[in-house]
Amino acid sequence: MTDALSRTDEPRAPSIVWITNPDNYDPRRHLLLQKEGSDRVNLFERNGLPVRVVHSGDLVPAWSGGAPRLYLDEEDLLDGGHAFLLSDWTWDAGIGRHVQAITRTIRAAGRVLLNDGIRDAESLGSDKLAMCHTAAALGIPVPPTVAVPFGRYARRVLTVVDRELGPGPYVVKPRAMAMGFGVLKTEGPEQLTAAVDLLAPAALGAVVQPFQENDGDVRVYVHRGKAVAVMLRRPKAGSYLANVSEGGSGASFEGDDRVRTLSERLAAGVDADYLCVDWLLTRGGPVFNEWMTVSAAYEDLPEPDRSRVAAALVTYVRDRIAAGS
């Protein structure tokens, strides 16, 4: 994914500054993931959108000289007329706080932050509980979702889960992660208790949802209010994660039109010109899972959907840069 890129030293011309967190990955996995990130860089650069890639750890956010600053060594990246793309999910609380400082500094400077593009990006950009609240208010089918309290209070979630979700099985996942990281299926209360005990010291924040039998999940790509492609993702044999990055497979999807209509409603509801919405295909119909903005992968789509989504992504980025917001 996007975090897999290595730092580059490009000329100081205005560009997309892609701020990554390679510390999210084991270095060996990091190497395997570089290709997809490089494909995205090549897409932008072929379309006249030069990219600089920098490591979040190399940046120092500040207020100095009467303005926000974002220093890369001696250079203030906010001086260059750049747009920014920030990989903002992480399993590390320290990195998360630093990324938050970078995000707020870019916003304070009035620069284009491409992975915002959504109403209330601070809470809706990655928080799965906030997504469920918002989607449900728009009439979207969402799963029952219970947030886990912190530290020594974490087990208080168990009574609520038993009452609201039943005896299991359950899915436990971090509230603000991606790519299937930390998603755990637990069969019943004992396993759920152990999962909560292990998660609580990590300070990630987690949610519990019922595990729903499904035929895979679909990702709908919405641009300018219209679904432009739908990808069906299925887990590999014996697995419960459909993420392609975790061994699942992707293919074009021509089925249930409800996922298209519901995805378009969501995009309009959160004021997103470009939104990628994931759904579980359950026996009762599609159920909302989560959404992403420009960081969502499209490279596993077959043609012509792949080219259609790539064109939509480039158009979206150009529009945001041209608008300056």
Side-chain angles (χ1 to χ4, degrees):
M1 286 294 294
T2 57
D3 291 333
L5 304 174
S6 301
R7 177 180 168 179
T8 60
D9 294 306
E10 297 295 330
R12 298 298 193 265
S15 59
I16 297 172
V17 177
W18 200 329
I19 302 171
T20 70
N21 293 309
D23 295 294
N24 282 343
Y25 301 102
D26 180 290
R28 294 175 181 174
R29 181 167 174 79
H30 178 215
L31 291 173
L32 293 173
L33 291 170
Q34 282 186 347
K35 182 180 183 299
E36 184 176 311
S38 298
D39 288 346
R40 195 76 60 92
V41 169
N42 291 339
L43 169 70
F44 289 143
E45 293 192 336
R46 285 197 309 271
N47 287 276
L49 297 167
V51 178
R52 293 179 64 187
V53 181
V54 298
H55 187 322
S56 63
D58 291 329
L59 301 179
V60 180
W63 172 273
S64 179
R69 309 289 181 185
L70 187 61
Y71 288 114
L72 175 63
D73 299 323
E74 301 298 319
E75 179 188 6
D76 178 10
L77 293 175
L78 299 177
D79 275 345
H82 305 303
F84 294 84
L85 179 57
L86 177 63
S87 297
D88 58 356
W89 69 271
T90 178
W91 51 266
D92 185 290
I95 295 174
R97 295 295 289 174
H98 184 59
V99 167
Q100 185 181 65
I102 293 170
T103 299
R104 292 180 177 178
T105 300
I106 293 169
R107 290 181 183 140
R111 298 297 185 266
V112 176
L113 185 55
L114 293 168
N115 49 301
D116 271 6
I118 191 171
R119 175 173 58 81
D120 193 11
E122 186 82 13
S123 65
L124 295 181
S126 58
D127 188 326
K128 292 176 174 60
L129 181 63
M131 290 179 192
C132 285
H133 289 324
T134 301
L138 293 169
I140 304 298
V142 302
T145 302
V146 182
V148 180
F150 64 93
R152 62 181 179 174
Y153 305 101
R155 281 198 179 194
R156 295 189 181 182
V157 77
L158 300 174
T159 302
V160 179
V161 167
D162 180 63
R163 183 179 69 239
E164 302 295 331
L165 275 60
Y170 312 106
V171 172
V172 186
K173 62 179 75 172
R175 274 177 53 193
M177 291 286 279
M179 294 178 64
F181 272 57
V183 178
L184 178 65
K185 180 184 176 185
T186 65
E187 295 298 332
E190 287 185 337
Q191 289 186 3
L192 177 62
T193 301
V196 167
D197 289 346
L198 291 170
L199 280 171
L204 278 175
V207 294
V208 184
Q209 296 174 329
F211 176 79
Q212 301 184 76
E213 295 291 343
N214 62 84
D215 295 323
D217 67 33
V218 294
R219 172 170 292 172
V220 183
Y221 299 82
V222 182
H223 181 231
R224 292 177 175 173
K226 296 294 183 183
V228 296
V230 185
M231 177 169 62
L232 173 65
R233 303 185 301 180
R234 295 186 185 275
K236 64 183 178 182
S239 178
Y240 57 88
L241 290 176
N243 306 69
V244 176
S245 61
E246 297 298 321
S249 61
S252 290
F253 180 71
E254 300 298 335
D256 198 335
D257 280 338
R258 285 177 292 177
V259 294
R260 296 175 175 83
T261 302
L262 292 171
S263 298
E264 291 168 358
R265 184 192 303 174
L266 262 181
V270 297
D271 301 328
D273 284 342
Y274 183 89
L275 193 69
C276 305
V277 190
D278 292 351
W279 302 87
L280 293 176
L281 298 181
T282 73
R283 295 187 183 97
V287 174
F288 174 75
N289 188 17
E290 62 181 329
W291 64 59
M292 300 180 73
T293 55
V294 297
S295 61
Y298 68 90
E299 288 83 358
D300 296 298
L301 277 165
E303 294 291 1
D305 287 343
R306 187 180 192 276
S307 293
R308 188 183 305 117
V309 173
L313 178 59
V314 168
T315 299
Y316 170 75
V317 169
R318 282 178 172 161
D319 287 348
R320 290 285 309 280
I321 293 173
S325 64

